[in-house]
Structure formats: C-alpha cells, structure tokens
Amino acid sequence: MTASRWQAAWTVAVFLFILAPIASIVVFSFNADRFPSLPWGGFSLTWYEAILTDDTVRAGFVRSLKVSAIVSVLATFIGFATAYTDYRFNFTGKMPYLALAALPPTVPVLILGLAMLSFFSMVNLVGTLRAIIIGHVVICAPFAMALIRMRLADMSPDIEPAAWNLGASRWRTIWSVTIPWCLPSIFAALAITAAVSFDEFMIAWFVSGLEETLPVRILALLQGQVSPRINAIGSIVFFISVTLAGLAQLLATRRDRQS
Amino acid sequence: MATPKRSRRLIDGFAAFWAAPALIWQTAFFLAPLLVLISMSFWVVRNYRLTPDFVLKNWERMFTRDYFWAAYLHTFELALLVAVLASVIAFPASHYLAFKASPAARRWAMFLLITPFFTSYLVRAYSWKIILSTEGVLNVVFGWVGLGPFEMLNNTFGACVGYLTLCMPLVILIQLFALSNVNRDLIGAAHNLGCGPLKTTFTVTIPAARVGLILAATFAFILSFGDYVSPAYLGGGKPPTMSILIVDQTKSGNHWPRASVVAVTMVVTLITVLFTALFAAYGKPGGKK
Amino acid sequence: MTTPMRHILTLDAVTKRFGDTTALHPTSFAVEKGEFLAMMGPSGCGKSTTLRMLAGLEFPSDGAIRLWDRDITDLPPWERDMPMVWQSYALFPFMTVAENVEFGLKQKGRSTAPARRKKAAEWMDRLGIADFARRKVDQLSGGQRQRVALARALALEPEILLLDEPLSALDAHLRLHMQSELKRLHRELGITFIYVTHSQSEAFALADRVAIMSEGRVQQIGPAKEVYRAPANRFVAEFVGANTIFAGKVLPDGGIETPLGLFRATDGHAPTPGRQATFLVPADRVTLSAAPLGVENEVKATLLTEEFTGSFVTLLLELPDGTEMKVQKQQSELDRLSLDVGTTIHASWPAEVAYVLKEDQ
C-alpha cells in the first residue's frame, strides 16, 4: 500500500515538473516585480501593457497568426489528400510514398532549418513569409495526415461504394460523404497544425530574415536580459497554443454516439 | 467468346489528384533541401561567397578538429544521459498510470501529456531559466530552509532540465502505451506464483513492454540530440553541442558548408541510433516476446 | 437460347481474377425482367464478387455484362442504375434518415428539391420509417436501418435491385419478418431482385430461381424446387437439403452395388451398366422400422443423435460402413418406434425417390 502511495506521489511530482514551467510563466506574468521570483511583488498588468505597445512584438504576433492560418489550411489539405490516398488506393511505391509523406517531423528542426535556408537561398526566398509557410507546411502536413487517417480508418469500407452505387461520382462522394465523415478530424488537423506552426521557431529563425515571427522574437529576447515581458508574451502564446491543442484533442477523440 | 482482357485505366486523374500534393510538396521542399544540404557539404566559400564545387575540404577540416569530436561526444553523452534519465524518471509514473490509476485519471493524464507536446517549448525553456536562476523561485525556497543558493543554470543540470521538459511527455506517452498493452494475465500469473510486485515488474512487465520502452528512450535520445534551445540557453553553450556548432557556423561564422557537415553527421548518427534501437527492440534473436 | 432482348441482364463468360487466384471462372447466365434471383453458396464461392461486378464495384477480367442490349461491363458504378442494399447497410451516419433516402435522387439531379422530398417521404412511408425521418441513422435499431437502406435504394425506382446478404445482421425473428416484407415488395414493384445469401432457407423462400455457387463457378441455376429435387452434381446435393449420398458400381440389370448392398434408384439420370453411379436419398422420404421389412433398398442403422426442431425431428443414423444418414420425421411418427441413442433400426425407401446424379462428377 505504501509503495503505491510513493508511486502516486512520484507520478504527481513528474506531472508537476511537466506543468511547472507553464504555471510559473502565467503566474509571474502578473507579478509587478521586475524580476519574476518570490516573494510576490503584487498583481499588475504592466507587462501586458508593455508588450501591447511593443511594435516588434505586435508585428511578430501578426506575422505568426498569418503564417499559422495559411499553414493550417495548406497542411490540412495536403494531409487529407495523403490520408485519402493511403485509404483508397494501392499502387507500387506506396511504401516509399508514405515514408516521404510521414518522415519530416522525425528530422530535427534545426537540420531542416539549415537545409531550407540553403535551399531557399538558391531560389531567393529567404527572408519572406512564403519561406516560413513552405517550411512549416512540410512539418505540419504529416500531423494532419495522421489525424485524418485515424478517422478514415473508422469509416466503414462500404460507405463510399454505397455513394457511388447511388449515382455519386467519386468527386461528389468525396464532397458529400468523405469530407463530412472526416470533418471532426479536419478541424482537429486545422487546430493542431496551426498550433505547431504558431510555436515553431527553428525553421522560422533560419529562413525568416527580418520577417520575425513571434517565437523568433521570443528567441531574440531570450538572448538578452530576463524580462517579465517575455512572461506576458509567453502566457499569450501558451493560451493560444493550449487552446488549439486542446481543441484538436477534443475534436479528434470525441467518440461518436453510434455503435 | 471471351472478349480480350481489358486493361484498367492506368493513369487515374482522380487518384493522381489526391496522391500528388504530398508527393510534390515533400519532394520539392523536404527532399530537395536535404539533398542540397548534403551537396553543400562539398561546396567551398570563396571571398565570402558560397560556390558549388565538389571538395572534401569541409569534411577534412571538421573531422580533424578536436572541438568537433569533443562536441560530438558531448552531444552524444548528453542525449544518452537524457534517454536514461527520462526513462527512469518516467517509468514509475507510466507504470502507475497504466496499472493503478483510474480510467478518468488516465484520460486526464493523457490530455496533460499531449497538450505540452504542441505548445511552445521555447517559452517553457525560458520559464525554467527564471525558475532556476540564482534569484529564482527555487533558490528563494531553498534560502528559506537555509540552503543554497545553488548554481542550476549554465551547466549540465540546467541543460538536462530543458531536455527533460522537451521529451518527458512523449516518453511517458510511449511507455504508457506499451505498458497498457502488456497482458494483465501475465502479471496476475506472476503474482499467483508468489512473485512480489517489484520482482514482477522487473521480470515480467519490463520484458513484456520492452519494445515500447526502448522506443521511448530512443525518441528521448533523438529529440535531445538535435535540440538547440536547452544546451544554448539553459546549459550555457559550453562546451558546445552539435546543434550549437551548426548555429554558430550558420549565424555568425557564415560558413554553411561546415554547418552542413555537422548536420549530415548528425543525421547519419540519428539514423544509425534509430536502426540500432529498432534492432534491439524487435530483432533480438531469442528475445522474449 | 432465347432471344437476347427478353433478358434484362446477361452475363457472358464473365471472369474475375485477383492476381493468381480466380474468384470467378467464366460464367454465363441471364436474368429475366421481374425475376427474383438468389445467388447462394459458401463464403468465397464468388457470389459477392459477381454482385459487385454487376454494381460496377469490381470489373471483370474477361467477359461482358449487358443490361438489355447495352454493354455495361466497364461502366463506372455511378453511371449504373442498380442500387444495392448492403449487409452493413452502409448508411451515411452523419445524415438523417430523410437525407439518406434522398441521397440517390440528389445525385441523379433529375428532380427539384421539393419533388425529391416528396418522393423520399413516399418511400419512407411505404417502408414504415416516416416517423424517424429527422433522426440520425445511428439512433435507429437494426431493423429500422434495414428499412432505411431499402428505402434509399428503392427511391431511385430502379429496374434492378441488388441485395448483398441484407438480412444476415438481423436476429432470427426480424429476419423472417423482413423476408416476407421483401417478398411482398418484390411482388408489388415487379422489378428484378438479385439477392446474395449464404442461407438456403432465405434463398428457397424468396427466389424464383436459385444459383448455387462454389469455388468460383455456378454449379446449378434453376427454380428452387428443381435444385432441391434434382441437384446437378454432388456439391449441390450435399449443399442443398438433407440428403444421404451413396455411390457404387452399376450392374447389368441397373441395380447399384455399394458396400452396403444392392440398391435400385430410378429417379434422375439412368445409370449406365458397368460404370460408377452416385445417387441420393432425401431425408424426408425414408421409412423407419424396428424390424426389417424385407423390401428392396433397406439398410440397418444405429441412431447417433436426434435433433428436435419444432414439428420435425432430424435423426442422424450411422450405417454399417460408417456413412451417416439423415432422416427427417414428424414427431408423431417416431412415437411408435421408441428410439434411444444406440438403438438399431431399419431404414428403407422406394426406388423412385432415389435420385441418380449425372455421371462424370
């Protein structure tokens, strides 16, 4: 019994370790003191005011929103197309095809960043938002594919043939049957790819040049003095990505009432 | 009167439409950049300009420098240390969640583990930086009980905290998944034969979940091996890791070919480690199922 | 051969191969307009592959399929008007019942939205599911789903309806109920039903003609009674009905010499003296007696098991050479015999019920 208690306590401690940085950043973003530590210096919104008037932060925030919005749509489309290809078709070379489609997240982003920097510099894309978007779609599409593929795996193999049988062409079947079925996972994929793109800093750092996204701005701030302003930005970033990631999980794991 | 054998339409526009996006995108923007990266390791820098060439100079230069091998060894050791630490720290928690926690608690735990995976690692690392600093929360608390202050930043400890932040959720998730798939009858049978809980864990549960446990450690290794933030901002960057070498060569040194050498070396190492681990996990001859 | 125009559907040497395995050997048969054809056989016999080729979900490797006189062999499924009722129902789970029923009409795009709704409402009414029109299909029971699947297919008012084991997911009681409903629908609508099943009782109860399939071949096609009484070969004889099969050498006088003795069989094909002959004895035509009757076609047997199914009892007897013989009797007939497992008994049958199979099996 006591062994179990110890094990429970250990588990709680491990989760505290995982959650501590998140909790700390949010709590201290409201601390009036210049250095975020104990004792508590009083509640204040100073740091939020400071970042709202910081043009570099605002510009970075707007860029990040723009990038993640476009990335999520592109990556989800590619993810759906790939998941559907895997679900519906058999062809020679399917294994290497799927490997190519699924592999990008396993390469360290640092190395992808360097690779993309050298590649984009050859085609004069470095320093553009387009470069960041392209790079982010590369790592986001596989997440979208995985989510949508899981949903397709639950679709009865007779559903699409039934639609064809009732006179719907394959294109119309995609639109009126397959996409409606996949809708929860499509929304989940939109949310998760937006979150990944919104948080990604390595590829963005390498290829963005002067077009800093918010995480790249944070990276720059990190190299300087400790400042509670980062707590405020961090809290906002966390709020956005936790919302997106949580939303994605709710959508992806929502059990259907059927069966 | 059989009609001749029909050939089914070989090129199907519908199928091509769905297969093409990933093929085109990942070939153009994933495969091509990686190939450029490899070829760039053979290029030269002349008068501060990158010039395509095919020379082994960059490879020779990096491979004959002590600091390169020191960085390589350091990175490898750190990643190995983290893989072991993460596995050991995570296991009791995964074990608890898999076998003892209620299903509702397990669901919440999964949620709490998946969410950080998709939230800013950068901000979490920054958060540790202020928690662990000399005037930070931890040292203040230590001060109250008359301890410290401890130096917890700009050393291996700081770097490891960052690495563990990065990989702990994934390690627990994979371990949890592996342990959940262990046949409970096996454990029940061991208890039935008078095997104590600790002994059962080591002689039955761990061997049964071996594949997942090895994969979890491997992912911890891969994530830490390629990470830049933890060694640079929490570990102090000295001695440098491979990732720091790449950033230095690219951002300040402006010597991309040398950075490519480092990057290609890292990729080859990671692939080797991955295959070794997969072999250890699945292919061990005579291994227990 | 009849004139091609009379047949609504013609299969001409249709063959299906998957890689090295042949799912359907060259198969030819034709279906009359308004006919109820059941394709029956064990799983893997090719019946579902045949149905899927009719629907255009698989394409023949060889041969041709014609609808009236039009070649539809390579027509994609959405250009055929042969709606199908699926074993899994294959309803669209995110749509309401009404949306499901309207689906086909909408795809055809032949009618306006109000006309579609009206037609869908008619069919839902006809199949007794009008009350559920606004429900999602996942809130329905199996029987209700089955009706939605039927309404969805019939709303297209097709000439041919394909049914793939439509009743196999229902419980026994509901299955019988739906069976009579299908029969009624077929009679009322006068359209062609092509029905795949592995259940003999379903096929025989419903179909005008039954096609018995095995190992990618149609073994026999014909009215149920004919298939039952005059099986074309040993497979059909064993698969259909409760028969006991005997084989032996034909003597010059037409008697058949088997390990169990000499028998006479006068139904079916005439046995050729000097050759092997196979004949079968229907289970419901056997007479049982405690003492030997001294008639021809009589064997001694031991009772193995007795299976009571309502008014009928199926007895399994073991003959001296180990052959198992099936006998069906009314319970009332058995009472006077006072049978127990292990009892020795005598079984006999008239020569005119023993059916001789065609040679060269």
Side-chain angles (χ1 to χ4, degrees), chain A residues 157-181:
Chain A
D158 292 338
I159 293 277
E160 284 196 307
W164 305 336
N165 176 256
L166 291 165
S169 71
R170 289 186 295 178
W171 294 103
R172 290 199 62 159
T173 300
I174 291 272
W175 184 249
S176 53
V177 173
T178 321
I179 288 180
W181 170 265

PDB file of all heavy atoms in Angstrom, chain A residues 157-181:
ATOM      1  N   PRO A 157     -15.890   0.479 -44.856  1.00  0.00           N
ATOM      2  CA  PRO A 157     -15.397   0.407 -46.238  1.00  0.00           C
ATOM      3  C   PRO A 157     -16.529   0.432 -47.261  1.00  0.00           C
ATOM      4  O   PRO A 157     -16.274   0.620 -48.446  1.00  0.00           O
ATOM      5  CB  PRO A 157     -14.628  -0.923 -46.283  1.00  0.00           C
ATOM      6  CG  PRO A 157     -15.101  -1.686 -45.102  1.00  0.00           C
ATOM      7  CD  PRO A 157     -15.529  -0.712 -44.072  1.00  0.00           C
ATOM      8  N   ASP A 158     -17.775   0.229 -46.811  1.00  0.00           N
ATOM      9  CA  ASP A 158     -18.893   0.221 -47.754  1.00  0.00           C
ATOM     10  C   ASP A 158     -19.462   1.608 -48.020  1.00  0.00           C
ATOM     11  O   ASP A 158     -20.262   1.784 -48.939  1.00  0.00           O
ATOM     12  CB  ASP A 158     -20.036  -0.650 -47.195  1.00  0.00           C
ATOM     13  CG  ASP A 158     -19.658  -2.121 -47.153  1.00  0.00           C
ATOM     14  OD1 ASP A 158     -18.744  -2.505 -47.895  1.00  0.00           O
ATOM     15  OD2 ASP A 158     -20.282  -2.862 -46.380  1.00  0.00           O
ATOM     16  N   ILE A 159     -19.077   2.600 -47.204  1.00  0.00           N
ATOM     17  CA  ILE A 159     -19.750   3.900 -47.286  1.00  0.00           C
ATOM     18  C   ILE A 159     -19.524   4.568 -48.641  1.00  0.00           C
ATOM     19  O   ILE A 159     -20.474   5.002 -49.292  1.00  0.00           O
ATOM     20  CB  ILE A 159     -19.269   4.817 -46.141  1.00  0.00           C
ATOM     21  CG1 ILE A 159     -19.743   4.275 -44.799  1.00  0.00           C
ATOM     22  CG2 ILE A 159     -19.743   6.242 -46.346  1.00  0.00           C
ATOM     23  CD1 ILE A 159     -21.136   4.661 -44.432  1.00  0.00           C
ATOM     24  N   GLU A 160     -18.274   4.660 -49.052  1.00  0.00           N
ATOM     25  CA  GLU A 160     -18.025   5.309 -50.334  1.00  0.00           C
ATOM     26  C   GLU A 160     -18.619   4.511 -51.505  1.00  0.00           C
ATOM     27  O   GLU A 160     -19.304   5.103 -52.344  1.00  0.00           O
ATOM     28  CB  GLU A 160     -16.521   5.507 -50.537  1.00  0.00           C
ATOM     29  CG  GLU A 160     -15.965   6.654 -49.718  1.00  0.00           C
ATOM     30  CD  GLU A 160     -14.597   7.081 -50.227  1.00  0.00           C
ATOM     31  OE1 GLU A 160     -13.724   6.207 -50.347  1.00  0.00           O
ATOM     32  OE2 GLU A 160     -14.425   8.266 -50.521  1.00  0.00           O
ATOM     33  N   PRO A 161     -18.392   3.183 -51.569  1.00  0.00           N
ATOM     34  CA  PRO A 161     -19.050   2.424 -52.639  1.00  0.00           C
ATOM     35  C   PRO A 161     -20.566   2.613 -52.637  1.00  0.00           C
ATOM     36  O   PRO A 161     -21.187   2.643 -53.701  1.00  0.00           O
ATOM     37  CB  PRO A 161     -18.666   0.970 -52.314  1.00  0.00           C
ATOM     38  CG  PRO A 161     -17.364   1.080 -51.619  1.00  0.00           C
ATOM     39  CD  PRO A 161     -17.446   2.342 -50.815  1.00  0.00           C
ATOM     40  N   ALA A 162     -21.166   2.756 -51.449  1.00  0.00           N
ATOM     41  CA  ALA A 162     -22.615   2.960 -51.395  1.00  0.00           C
ATOM     42  C   ALA A 162     -22.989   4.262 -52.080  1.00  0.00           C
ATOM     43  O   ALA A 162     -23.996   4.338 -52.788  1.00  0.00           O
ATOM     44  CB  ALA A 162     -23.091   2.953 -49.946  1.00  0.00           C
ATOM     45  N   ALA A 163     -22.175   5.291 -51.891  1.00  0.00           N
ATOM     46  CA  ALA A 163     -22.466   6.574 -52.528  1.00  0.00           C
ATOM     47  C   ALA A 163     -22.300   6.462 -54.051  1.00  0.00           C
ATOM     48  O   ALA A 163     -23.140   6.949 -54.814  1.00  0.00           O
ATOM     49  CB  ALA A 163     -21.554   7.657 -51.972  1.00  0.00           C
ATOM     50  N   TRP A 164     -21.233   5.787 -54.495  1.00  0.00           N
ATOM     51  CA  TRP A 164     -21.048   5.585 -55.941  1.00  0.00           C
ATOM     52  C   TRP A 164     -22.250   4.843 -56.505  1.00  0.00           C
ATOM     53  O   TRP A 164     -22.776   5.178 -57.555  1.00  0.00           O
ATOM     54  CB  TRP A 164     -19.788   4.765 -56.236  1.00  0.00           C
ATOM     55  CG  TRP A 164     -18.526   5.317 -55.658  1.00  0.00           C
ATOM     56  CD1 TRP A 164     -18.277   6.613 -55.311  1.00  0.00           C
ATOM     57  CD2 TRP A 164     -17.336   4.579 -55.357  1.00  0.00           C
ATOM     58  NE1 TRP A 164     -17.006   6.724 -54.812  1.00  0.00           N
ATOM     59  CE2 TRP A 164     -16.410   5.505 -54.829  1.00  0.00           C
ATOM     60  CE3 TRP A 164     -16.969   3.234 -55.488  1.00  0.00           C
ATOM     61  CZ2 TRP A 164     -15.124   5.119 -54.421  1.00  0.00           C
ATOM     62  CZ3 TRP A 164     -15.693   2.847 -55.087  1.00  0.00           C
ATOM     63  CH2 TRP A 164     -14.782   3.786 -54.566  1.00  0.00           C
ATOM     64  N   ASN A 165     -22.641   3.811 -55.759  1.00  0.00           N
ATOM     65  CA  ASN A 165     -23.737   2.951 -56.187  1.00  0.00           C
ATOM     66  C   ASN A 165     -25.043   3.731 -56.343  1.00  0.00           C
ATOM     67  O   ASN A 165     -25.902   3.395 -57.140  1.00  0.00           O
ATOM     68  CB  ASN A 165     -23.885   1.814 -55.163  1.00  0.00           C
ATOM     69  CG  ASN A 165     -25.053   0.918 -55.454  1.00  0.00           C
ATOM     70  OD1 ASN A 165     -26.070   0.986 -54.805  1.00  0.00           O
ATOM     71  ND2 ASN A 165     -24.902   0.069 -56.465  1.00  0.00           N
ATOM     72  N   LEU A 166     -25.174   4.814 -55.550  1.00  0.00           N
ATOM     73  CA  LEU A 166     -26.392   5.618 -55.636  1.00  0.00           C
ATOM     74  C   LEU A 166     -26.242   6.751 -56.648  1.00  0.00           C
ATOM     75  O   LEU A 166     -27.075   7.652 -56.690  1.00  0.00           O
ATOM     76  CB  LEU A 166     -26.745   6.178 -54.258  1.00  0.00           C
ATOM     77  CG  LEU A 166     -27.195   5.127 -53.240  1.00  0.00           C
ATOM     78  CD1 LEU A 166     -27.175   5.684 -51.839  1.00  0.00           C
ATOM     79  CD2 LEU A 166     -28.577   4.609 -53.589  1.00  0.00           C
ATOM     80  N   GLY A 167     -25.161   6.719 -57.413  1.00  0.00           N
ATOM     81  CA  GLY A 167     -25.060   7.665 -58.514  1.00  0.00           C
ATOM     82  C   GLY A 167     -24.136   8.842 -58.292  1.00  0.00           C
ATOM     83  O   GLY A 167     -24.065   9.741 -59.118  1.00  0.00           O
ATOM     84  N   ALA A 168     -23.415   8.851 -57.154  1.00  0.00           N
ATOM     85  CA  ALA A 168     -22.494   9.954 -56.916  1.00  0.00           C
ATOM     86  C   ALA A 168     -21.136   9.610 -57.517  1.00  0.00           C
ATOM     87  O   ALA A 168     -20.609   8.525 -57.270  1.00  0.00           O
ATOM     88  CB  ALA A 168     -22.345  10.203 -55.416  1.00  0.00           C
ATOM     89  N   SER A 169     -20.582  10.511 -58.303  1.00  0.00           N
ATOM     90  CA  SER A 169     -19.247  10.271 -58.846  1.00  0.00           C
ATOM     91  C   SER A 169     -18.242  10.276 -57.699  1.00  0.00           C
ATOM     92  O   SER A 169     -18.573  10.653 -56.577  1.00  0.00           O
ATOM     93  CB  SER A 169     -18.886  11.349 -59.856  1.00  0.00           C
ATOM     94  OG  SER A 169     -18.657  12.564 -59.162  1.00  0.00           O
ATOM     95  N   ARG A 170     -17.015   9.888 -58.010  1.00  0.00           N
ATOM     96  CA  ARG A 170     -16.015   9.848 -56.938  1.00  0.00           C
ATOM     97  C   ARG A 170     -15.775  11.230 -56.364  1.00  0.00           C
ATOM     98  O   ARG A 170     -15.586  11.392 -55.155  1.00  0.00           O
ATOM     99  CB  ARG A 170     -14.715   9.236 -57.459  1.00  0.00           C
ATOM    100  CG  ARG A 170     -14.843   7.747 -57.707  1.00  0.00           C
ATOM    101  CD  ARG A 170     -13.522   7.134 -58.090  1.00  0.00           C
ATOM    102  NE  ARG A 170     -13.055   7.658 -59.370  1.00  0.00           N
ATOM    103  CZ  ARG A 170     -11.891   7.307 -59.927  1.00  0.00           C
ATOM    104  NH1 ARG A 170     -11.102   6.457 -59.304  1.00  0.00           N
ATOM    105  NH2 ARG A 170     -11.521   7.790 -61.082  1.00  0.00           N
ATOM    106  N   TRP A 171     -15.794  12.259 -57.217  1.00  0.00           N
ATOM    107  CA  TRP A 171     -15.580  13.611 -56.723  1.00  0.00           C
ATOM    108  C   TRP A 171     -16.716  14.044 -55.796  1.00  0.00           C
ATOM    109  O   TRP A 171     -16.491  14.598 -54.728  1.00  0.00           O
ATOM    110  CB  TRP A 171     -15.481  14.599 -57.892  1.00  0.00           C
ATOM    111  CG  TRP A 171     -14.284  14.373 -58.750  1.00  0.00           C
ATOM    112  CD1 TRP A 171     -14.266  13.776 -59.974  1.00  0.00           C
ATOM    113  CD2 TRP A 171     -12.916  14.727 -58.454  1.00  0.00           C
ATOM    114  NE1 TRP A 171     -12.976  13.735 -60.450  1.00  0.00           N
ATOM    115  CE2 TRP A 171     -12.131  14.318 -59.541  1.00  0.00           C
ATOM    116  CE3 TRP A 171     -12.308  15.355 -57.359  1.00  0.00           C
ATOM    117  CZ2 TRP A 171     -10.760  14.513 -59.582  1.00  0.00           C
ATOM    118  CZ3 TRP A 171     -10.946  15.553 -57.399  1.00  0.00           C
ATOM    119  CH2 TRP A 171     -10.180  15.135 -58.490  1.00  0.00           C
ATOM    120  N   ARG A 172     -17.947  13.778 -56.255  1.00  0.00           N
ATOM    121  CA  ARG A 172     -19.088  14.165 -55.430  1.00  0.00           C
ATOM    122  C   ARG A 172     -19.122  13.376 -54.135  1.00  0.00           C
ATOM    123  O   ARG A 172     -19.563  13.872 -53.104  1.00  0.00           O
ATOM    124  CB  ARG A 172     -20.393  13.952 -56.201  1.00  0.00           C
ATOM    125  CG  ARG A 172     -20.556  14.934 -57.348  1.00  0.00           C
ATOM    126  CD  ARG A 172     -21.989  15.016 -57.782  1.00  0.00           C
ATOM    127  NE  ARG A 172     -22.834  15.511 -56.699  1.00  0.00           N
ATOM    128  CZ  ARG A 172     -24.025  16.047 -56.902  1.00  0.00           C
ATOM    129  NH1 ARG A 172     -24.494  16.160 -58.119  1.00  0.00           N
ATOM    130  NH2 ARG A 172     -24.746  16.446 -55.874  1.00  0.00           N
ATOM    131  N   THR A 173     -18.666  12.126 -54.199  1.00  0.00           N
ATOM    132  CA  THR A 173     -18.637  11.308 -52.985  1.00  0.00           C
ATOM    133  C   THR A 173     -17.673  11.905 -51.966  1.00  0.00           C
ATOM    134  O   THR A 173     -17.979  11.971 -50.771  1.00  0.00           O
ATOM    135  CB  THR A 173     -18.225   9.862 -53.337  1.00  0.00           C
ATOM    136  OG1 THR A 173     -19.181   9.338 -54.244  1.00  0.00           O
ATOM    137  CG2 THR A 173     -18.153   8.996 -52.091  1.00  0.00           C
ATOM    138  N   ILE A 174     -16.507  12.349 -52.444  1.00  0.00           N
ATOM    139  CA  ILE A 174     -15.557  12.996 -51.538  1.00  0.00           C
ATOM    140  C   ILE A 174     -16.250  14.161 -50.831  1.00  0.00           C
ATOM    141  O   ILE A 174     -16.179  14.299 -49.610  1.00  0.00           O
ATOM    142  CB  ILE A 174     -14.349  13.553 -52.334  1.00  0.00           C
ATOM    143  CG1 ILE A 174     -13.510  12.429 -52.891  1.00  0.00           C
ATOM    144  CG2 ILE A 174     -13.528  14.499 -51.450  1.00  0.00           C
ATOM    145  CD1 ILE A 174     -12.443  11.928 -51.970  1.00  0.00           C
ATOM    146  N   TRP A 175     -16.944  14.974 -51.623  1.00  0.00           N
ATOM    147  CA  TRP A 175     -17.535  16.189 -51.086  1.00  0.00           C
ATOM    148  C   TRP A 175     -18.728  15.894 -50.177  1.00  0.00           C
ATOM    149  O   TRP A 175     -18.861  16.502 -49.115  1.00  0.00           O
ATOM    150  CB  TRP A 175     -17.948  17.119 -52.237  1.00  0.00           C
ATOM    151  CG  TRP A 175     -18.480  18.409 -51.754  1.00  0.00           C
ATOM    152  CD1 TRP A 175     -19.776  18.835 -51.836  1.00  0.00           C
ATOM    153  CD2 TRP A 175     -17.757  19.447 -51.076  1.00  0.00           C
ATOM    154  NE1 TRP A 175     -19.898  20.065 -51.252  1.00  0.00           N
ATOM    155  CE2 TRP A 175     -18.683  20.467 -50.784  1.00  0.00           C
ATOM    156  CE3 TRP A 175     -16.423  19.591 -50.694  1.00  0.00           C
ATOM    157  CZ2 TRP A 175     -18.314  21.638 -50.116  1.00  0.00           C
ATOM    158  CZ3 TRP A 175     -16.061  20.761 -50.025  1.00  0.00           C
ATOM    159  CH2 TRP A 175     -16.996  21.757 -49.747  1.00  0.00           C
ATOM    160  N   SER A 176     -19.582  14.955 -50.585  1.00  0.00           N
ATOM    161  CA  SER A 176     -20.817  14.787 -49.816  1.00  0.00           C
ATOM    162  C   SER A 176     -20.755  13.656 -48.794  1.00  0.00           C
ATOM    163  O   SER A 176     -21.645  13.544 -47.958  1.00  0.00           O
ATOM    164  CB  SER A 176     -22.002  14.574 -50.771  1.00  0.00           C
ATOM    165  OG  SER A 176     -21.733  13.537 -51.663  1.00  0.00           O
ATOM    166  N   VAL A 177     -19.732  12.806 -48.851  1.00  0.00           N
ATOM    167  CA  VAL A 177     -19.655  11.697 -47.898  1.00  0.00           C
ATOM    168  C   VAL A 177     -18.329  11.692 -47.135  1.00  0.00           C
ATOM    169  O   VAL A 177     -18.313  11.721 -45.906  1.00  0.00           O
ATOM    170  CB  VAL A 177     -19.845  10.336 -48.616  1.00  0.00           C
ATOM    171  CG1 VAL A 177     -19.594   9.184 -47.664  1.00  0.00           C
ATOM    172  CG2 VAL A 177     -21.249  10.247 -49.199  1.00  0.00           C
ATOM    173  N   THR A 178     -17.223  11.684 -47.856  1.00  0.00           N
ATOM    174  CA  THR A 178     -15.930  11.502 -47.195  1.00  0.00           C
ATOM    175  C   THR A 178     -15.572  12.696 -46.320  1.00  0.00           C
ATOM    176  O   THR A 178     -15.198  12.532 -45.152  1.00  0.00           O
ATOM    177  CB  THR A 178     -14.828  11.260 -48.244  1.00  0.00           C
ATOM    178  OG1 THR A 178     -15.352  10.429 -49.265  1.00  0.00           O
ATOM    179  CG2 THR A 178     -13.620  10.611 -47.620  1.00  0.00           C
ATOM    180  N   ILE A 179     -15.697  13.891 -46.875  1.00  0.00           N
ATOM    181  CA  ILE A 179     -15.345  15.070 -46.079  1.00  0.00           C
ATOM    182  C   ILE A 179     -16.278  15.245 -44.874  1.00  0.00           C
ATOM    183  O   ILE A 179     -15.797  15.458 -43.762  1.00  0.00           O
ATOM    184  CB  ILE A 179     -15.279  16.333 -46.971  1.00  0.00           C
ATOM    185  CG1 ILE A 179     -14.025  16.242 -47.846  1.00  0.00           C
ATOM    186  CG2 ILE A 179     -15.241  17.603 -46.131  1.00  0.00           C
ATOM    187  CD1 ILE A 179     -13.808  17.389 -48.787  1.00  0.00           C
ATOM    188  N   PRO A 180     -17.599  15.117 -45.047  1.00  0.00           N
ATOM    189  CA  PRO A 180     -18.447  15.207 -43.853  1.00  0.00           C
ATOM    190  C   PRO A 180     -18.047  14.200 -42.774  1.00  0.00           C
ATOM    191  O   PRO A 180     -18.045  14.513 -41.588  1.00  0.00           O
ATOM    192  CB  PRO A 180     -19.852  14.916 -44.387  1.00  0.00           C
ATOM    193  CG  PRO A 180     -19.806  15.329 -45.807  1.00  0.00           C
ATOM    194  CD  PRO A 180     -18.404  15.041 -46.277  1.00  0.00           C
ATOM    195  N   TRP A 181     -17.697  12.985 -43.201  1.00  0.00           N
ATOM    196  CA  TRP A 181     -17.285  11.985 -42.219  1.00  0.00           C
ATOM    197  C   TRP A 181     -16.014  12.438 -41.491  1.00  0.00           C
ATOM    198  O   TRP A 181     -15.878  12.281 -40.286  1.00  0.00           O
ATOM    199  CB  TRP A 181     -17.049  10.634 -42.901  1.00  0.00           C
ATOM    200  CG  TRP A 181     -16.406   9.644 -41.983  1.00  0.00           C
ATOM    201  CD1 TRP A 181     -15.088   9.370 -41.870  1.00  0.00           C
ATOM    202  CD2 TRP A 181     -17.059   8.849 -40.999  1.00  0.00           C
ATOM    203  NE1 TRP A 181     -14.869   8.447 -40.885  1.00  0.00           N
ATOM    204  CE2 TRP A 181     -16.064   8.109 -40.330  1.00  0.00           C
ATOM    205  CE3 TRP A 181     -18.406   8.687 -40.611  1.00  0.00           C
ATOM    206  CZ2 TRP A 181     -16.359   7.218 -39.298  1.00  0.00           C
ATOM    207  CZ3 TRP A 181     -18.688   7.794 -39.580  1.00  0.00           C
ATOM    208  CH2 TRP A 181     -17.678   7.072 -38.944  1.00  0.00           C
TER     209      TRP A 181
END
